[in-house]
Amino acid sequence: SKENFIDVCKRQLRDGPREKVIKLMKNKDQWERECNAREKYNLDPKYVVTAQPIPPEDDIDNSNERGDGGLNDIVKKYLKDIKLGKYVIVMDAADRNLHQIFHQEQP
């Protein structure tokens, strides 16, 4: 239910929003395209959230498998049959919510 999802999010966020967010992508081509566009063009941070350095790929895979940072709780309750992506972009948190991101960033 919506209330359960909000409850899980509140438990994970604790005192409020996080400073950084992690975008997990399944499609390597899509991930490379986004990374290349961020590097190639001088994108205005007013319109595009700034990407941060990312950890090594093995660290990401291991973290996904372990369900670090409360990821296990969210996967078990809401993403039962969804495999998480292993290609990562770490960004400063923005003022958009998941619903807005989902509808604006579909491939």
Side-chain angles (χ1 to χ4, degrees), residues 72-88:
N72 254 356
D73 291 340
I74 293 171
V75 169
K76 285 178 184 175
K77 281 193 170 195
Y78 302 102
L79 307 175
K80 294 176 176 99
D81 298 322
I82 297 175
K83 186 175 183 320
L84 297 176
K86 70 176 192 173
Y87 304 104
V88 173

Side-chain angles (χ1 to χ4, degrees), residues 31-98:
W31 172 76
E32 286 176 338
R33 195 169 40 251
E34 182 166 340
C35 290
N36 291 337
R38 288 173 177 276
E39 289 177 17
K40 182 177 180 180
Y41 302 105
N42 188 18
L43 303 173
D44 187 339
K46 180 178 177 182
Y47 303 107
V48 178
V49 178
T50 304
Q52 305 296 315
I54 60 171
E57 193 171 316
D58 287 344
D59 290 352
I60 295 164
D61 287 342
N62 293 334
S63 184
N64 274 352
E65 286 177 23
R66 288 189 309 262
D68 291 350
L71 193 54
N72 254 356
D73 291 340
I74 293 171
V75 169
K76 285 178 184 175
K77 281 193 170 195
Y78 302 102
L79 307 175
K80 294 176 176 99
D81 298 322
I82 297 175
K83 186 175 183 320
L84 297 176
K86 70 176 192 173
Y87 304 104
V88 173
I89 297 178
V90 178
M91 299 175 280
D92 293 327
D95 58 357
R96 295 188 304 162
N97 63 39
L98 259 174

Side-chain angles (χ1 to χ4, degrees), residues 7-52:
D7 188 47
V8 169
C9 290
K10 284 181 180 179
R11 281 200 312 269
Q12 301 310 317
L13 294 174
R14 292 181 186 83
D15 294 337
R18 296 178 184 216
E19 293 179 21
K20 307 287 183 210
V21 295
I22 300 172
K23 182 177 183 177
L24 298 169
M25 302 172 79
K26 292 181 188 178
N27 184 303
K28 186 174 183 174
D29 292 336
Q30 184 180 7
W31 172 76
E32 286 176 338
R33 195 169 40 251
E34 182 166 340
C35 290
N36 291 337
R38 288 173 177 276
E39 289 177 17
K40 182 177 180 180
Y41 302 105
N42 188 18
L43 303 173
D44 187 339
K46 180 178 177 182
Y47 303 107
V48 178
V49 178
T50 304
Q52 305 296 315

